[in-house]
Each structure stands twice: as structure tokens, then as C-alpha cells.
Amino acid sequence: METASKIYFLNSPYPNGHQIIAFNWSGRIDEDESVWFDFHLKTEKYYADDQNEDIEEETSSNWGSKIVWGNYHACILSSTYWGDQGGIRIDKPGEKVDFDSVIKSELHSNDLPSYRDFEEEDLTFNIYLLGHDSCAGHKIKFSKNDNHRYTIE
């Protein structure tokens, strides 16, 4: 039995997370012959499972406001949706890619940039969360289940 996949945003007004309605994991080789993994994720509408009719809750920030989340509807986290400008490089210069080694290790996207050094085009993923936002510091882990399918965390 497969469980529903969800994404969670800490301290959001939706602590039970959001269903993932689209997910694509792909690979590519760029013009420099570097090997990359790309990921694309989209959620259902933020308020899809909300049983609480009261969206006029008092909050001290937009992050905690259901009405603000409702204005943006759903999340897209992707290295491909807005063009191939991100992704996670999985090869090392001069070495062949060993797929088994790659999926047995944890992949890391770029670290959280300092405010001054921030360049959007250098990020692994772009995100539409509460508008066009920025994100970094991702850790991606693979595991193979008994059916020889992969789980991505």
C-alpha cells in the first residue's frame, strides 16, 4: 500500500502538509557533459483539505495567514519549470557516473546563501510558494523498496 506523498512547510497555517499532485525526477547531460538530476514538484491547492472554515485568523505575519496562502493557491518547486537553470550535479569532473553510488548517498543542493551573495540563477530550485520565492539547503535521499521502486525523501 502506497501512502500519499506530501510536502510540509514549517510553521505554516497548514501543519498537515499538502498533497503532491505532480512529481517528475529526470536527468540530463549539459553542453559541458556534466550530469544533472532535475526535480519538479507541484502541490494541490493549499486549502484543499482545510476543514476549518475560519480563515480570518489573526496572525503576526503573512506566513501564518491562511488568507495569504489562499491567494497563491499551490506550490511549484522545480529545477525545470522555469527553464533548465538549476538541478543537482551528480558527477565529478573526469569521473564516470556510478548511479548506484549516487542513489545510496544523500544529495545536497546549494547551501543557504548569505543575503549579500544571493544570486537567483545560482539556486538549484526555483519555487512558487507565496509568490516567486527563493529556497536552498535541500537534502535529497533515495531508498529502494521491495518492489524495486524508489522512494525519494
Side-chain angles (χ1 to χ4, degrees):
M1 177 177 167
E2 288 189 37
T3 58
S5 296
K6 287 188 170 189
I7 188 169
Y8 299 86
F9 300 103
L10 295 177
N11 302 317
S12 83
Y14 298 100
N16 296 326
H18 308 281
Q19 294 284 103
I20 295 172
I21 61 170
F23 181 80
N24 186 35
W25 166 27
S26 59
R28 64 184 157 87
I29 300 173
D30 69 10
E31 64 278 352
D32 297 327
E33 297 187 5
S34 300
V35 183
W36 299 80
F37 277 168
D38 285 305
F39 298 92
H40 171 80
L41 173 149
K42 184 176 181 181
T43 69
E44 69 183 351
K45 294 196 184 312
Y46 295 136
Y47 40 81
D49 289 336
D50 191 15
Q51 303 301 317
N52 184 356
E53 299 292 325
D54 183 18
I55 62 170
E56 294 295 327
E57 300 170 357
E58 279 201 35
T59 64
S60 60
S61 71
N62 286 343
W63 184 259
S65 171
K66 285 185 178 182
I67 204 161
V68 171
W69 283 72
N71 286 335
Y72 295 100
H73 306 290
C75 175
I76 296 174
L77 173 70
S78 184
S79 62
T80 59
Y81 188 76
W82 293 278
D84 290 333
Q85 61 189 46
I88 296 178
R89 186 172 177 179
I90 62 167
D91 69 331
K92 294 181 178 137
E95 293 182 18
K96 289 185 177 183
V97 175
D98 178 5
F99 184 72
D100 287 332
S101 293
V102 170
I103 61 170
K104 288 178 184 172
S105 63
E106 187 173 78
L107 299 177
H108 296 264
S109 72
N110 34 0
D111 294 330
L112 295 171
S114 70
Y115 182 74
R116 275 187 221 131
D117 297 332
F118 175 72
E119 294 290 337
E120 187 175 330
E121 61 270 4
D122 293 336
L123 294 177
T124 302
F125 300 104
N126 287 308
I127 189 168
Y128 182 83
L129 180 61
L130 297 183
H132 290 281
D133 294 310
S134 300
C135 60
H138 304 279
K139 296 176 183 171
I140 299 170
K141 197 163 126 182
F142 302 90
S143 57
K144 194 185 268 190
N145 64 27
D146 293 336
N147 297 333
H148 300 287
R149 296 180 65 155
Y150 292 97
T151 299
I152 301 174
E153 185 178 322

